[in-house]
């Protein structure tokens, strides 16, 4: 069962969905897509940028997943939450401000009910992640916090990213969805660097739609390309994510800046 916190103080947008070509899309009162689901494969990940939000798997020994705790800030259509719980079978927590989004995910997007390994918390993520109960216990943090206009991240300060860093265990990673072609992208990355350090930050090239996934490590590392390829091939064969293609579009930020 979802654990509600204080009621949201702001007026929240209406939640609805649309179906087209076998894909169901979530909307928050506008035409902007806030998440999607392949109706015949509800636990797969359809959108390219959402697939890239799983890039933390490149830095993870698959044997460790049995002890993993993944957390999503922003539920969207529940895609990442479902994938982590149903495909990876890891303990999963999602924090979502709008209770209507949770109802939509349960009613229209096949999000499973809470159980011993899945919990949805209805709360303001900025406040919730300051609770010491979460500090140091998250092994993979996925942040996708956009308003109903999908214009810029709702939470995007250096202080917020520092709070995110406190959630992470020593070998953990955070992935964040940004618009790589927007004017806010460079400012967002600068704030992440302030919180994590430039050695800890990696970034993809933008997708065709302009989404750029940025990854930050709790403890910076530079795995050899052979290890990353080995992990990518395993990810691709085990979970059908295009991980070997990721390596052509994914580099440490320091390398990208010096190129």
């Amino acid at each position: 069962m979802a654990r509600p916190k204080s009621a949201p103080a702001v007026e929240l947008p209406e939640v609805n969905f649309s179906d087209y070509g076998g894909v169901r899309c979530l909307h928050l009162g506008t035409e902007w897509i806030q998440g999607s689901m392949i109706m015949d494969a509800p636990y797969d990940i359809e959108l390219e940028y959402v697939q890239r939000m799983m890039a933390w798997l490149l830095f993870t020994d698959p044997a460790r997943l049995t002890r993993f705790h993944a957390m999503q800030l922003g539920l969207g259509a529940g895609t990442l939450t479902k994938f982590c719980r149903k495909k990876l079978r890891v303990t999963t927590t999602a924090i979502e401000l709008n209770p209507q989004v949770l109802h939509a995910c349960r009613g229209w997007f096949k999000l499973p009910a809470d159980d011993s390994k899945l919990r949805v918390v209805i709360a303001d993520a900025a406040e919730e992640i300051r609770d010491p109960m979460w500090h140091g216990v998250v092994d993979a943090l996925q942040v996708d916090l956009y308003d109903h206009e999908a214009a810029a991240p709702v939470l995007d300060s250096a202080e917020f990213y520092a709070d995110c860093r406190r959630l992470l265990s020593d070998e953990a990673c955070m992935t964040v969805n940004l618009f790589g072609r927007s004017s806010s992208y460079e400012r967002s990355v600068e704030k992440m660097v302030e919180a994590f350090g430039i050695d800890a930050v990696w970034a993809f090239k933008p997708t065709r739609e302009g989404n750029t996934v940025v990854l930050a490590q709790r403890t910076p590392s530079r795995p050899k390309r052979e290890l990353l390829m080995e992990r990518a091939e395993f990810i691709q064969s085990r979970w059908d994510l295009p991980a070997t293609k990721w390596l052509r579009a994914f580099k440490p930020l320091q390398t990208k800046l010096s190129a």
Side-chain angles (χ1 to χ4, degrees):
M1 183 174 183
R3 178 166 63 88
K5 293 286 189 171
S6 56
V10 296
E11 185 176 347
L12 298 171
E14 180 184 357
V15 178
N16 49 38
F17 72 92
S18 62
D19 293 345
Y20 179 77
V23 175
R24 176 164 292 171
C25 297
L26 179 76
H27 306 274
L28 300 182
T30 73
E31 74 277 9
W32 291 102
I33 294 172
Q34 300 282 348
S36 66
M37 176 185 73
I38 303 170
M39 285 187 276
D40 288 342
Y43 303 118
D44 289 353
I45 301 177
E46 184 227 354
L47 296 174
E48 183 179 24
Y49 91 85
V50 184
Q51 293 172 346
R52 292 178 174 187
M53 293 285 283
M54 300 302 304
W56 56 268
L57 285 166
L58 292 169
F59 298 87
T60 303
D61 179 351
R64 293 182 57 231
L65 284 176
T66 57
R67 306 185 299 276
F68 246 58
H69 179 194
M71 176 180 281
Q72 295 82 44
L73 305 186
L75 186 59
T79 306
L80 292 170
T81 303
K82 290 186 297 183
F83 192 90
C84 288
R85 176 65 187 94
K86 298 291 285 186
K87 297 274 190 169
L88 300 185
R89 301 182 181 179
V90 302
T91 299
T92 308
T93 302
I95 300 175
E96 170 57 47
L97 181 66
N98 189 341
Q100 291 183 60
V101 170
L102 174 59
H103 295 322
C105 286
R106 291 261 155 83
W108 303 330
F109 290 90
K110 305 288 187 183
L111 180 69
D114 283 15
D115 57 25
S116 62
K117 297 193 75 171
L118 173 63
R119 174 162 49 168
V120 180
V121 180
I122 299 299
D124 182 334
E127 296 177 6
E128 180 67 18
I129 65 175
R130 294 193 186 114
D131 189 327
M133 72 177 284
W134 301 118
H135 291 177
V137 303
V138 176
D139 300 298
L141 178 66
Q142 297 163 304
V143 182
D144 195 1
L145 293 167
Y146 279 79
D147 63 14
H148 60 289
E149 295 290 347
V154 175
L155 299 175
D156 188 43
S157 66
E159 292 76 19
F160 168 68
Y161 292 122
D163 288 340
C164 288
R165 189 174 185 273
R166 289 187 194 96
L167 300 177
L168 302 181
S169 60
D170 286 345
E171 297 181 36
C173 298
M174 171 184 76
T175 50
V176 182
N177 171 37
L178 299 172
F179 282 132
R181 298 193 185 110
S182 75
S183 59
S184 66
Y185 169 76
E186 289 186 2
R187 293 195 297 274
S188 297
V189 171
E190 286 171 2
K191 293 166 189 173
M192 276 186 238
V193 167
E194 183 177 338
F196 282 82
I198 194 166
D199 290 346
V201 180
W202 300 58
F204 280 93
K205 295 177 182 176
T207 64
R208 287 189 305 275
E209 297 76 21
N211 296 85
T212 295
V213 171
V214 179
L215 180 144
Q217 298 175 279
R218 176 66 177 79
T219 304
S221 68
R222 287 290 184 272
K224 292 186 180 300
R225 183 168 181 81
E226 292 78 11
L227 176 59
L228 290 175
M229 182 56 73
E230 179 183 320
R231 293 256 174 89
E233 289 172 349
F234 178 83
I235 293 163
Q236 195 155 309
S237 63
R238 178 69 178 83
W239 297 296
D240 198 27
L241 294 169
T244 56
K245 289 172 58 178
W246 294 347
L247 298 184
R248 298 197 294 269
F250 182 59
K251 288 186 170 48
L253 183 64
Q254 206 166 43
T255 301
K256 291 169 74 71
L257 291 176
S258 61

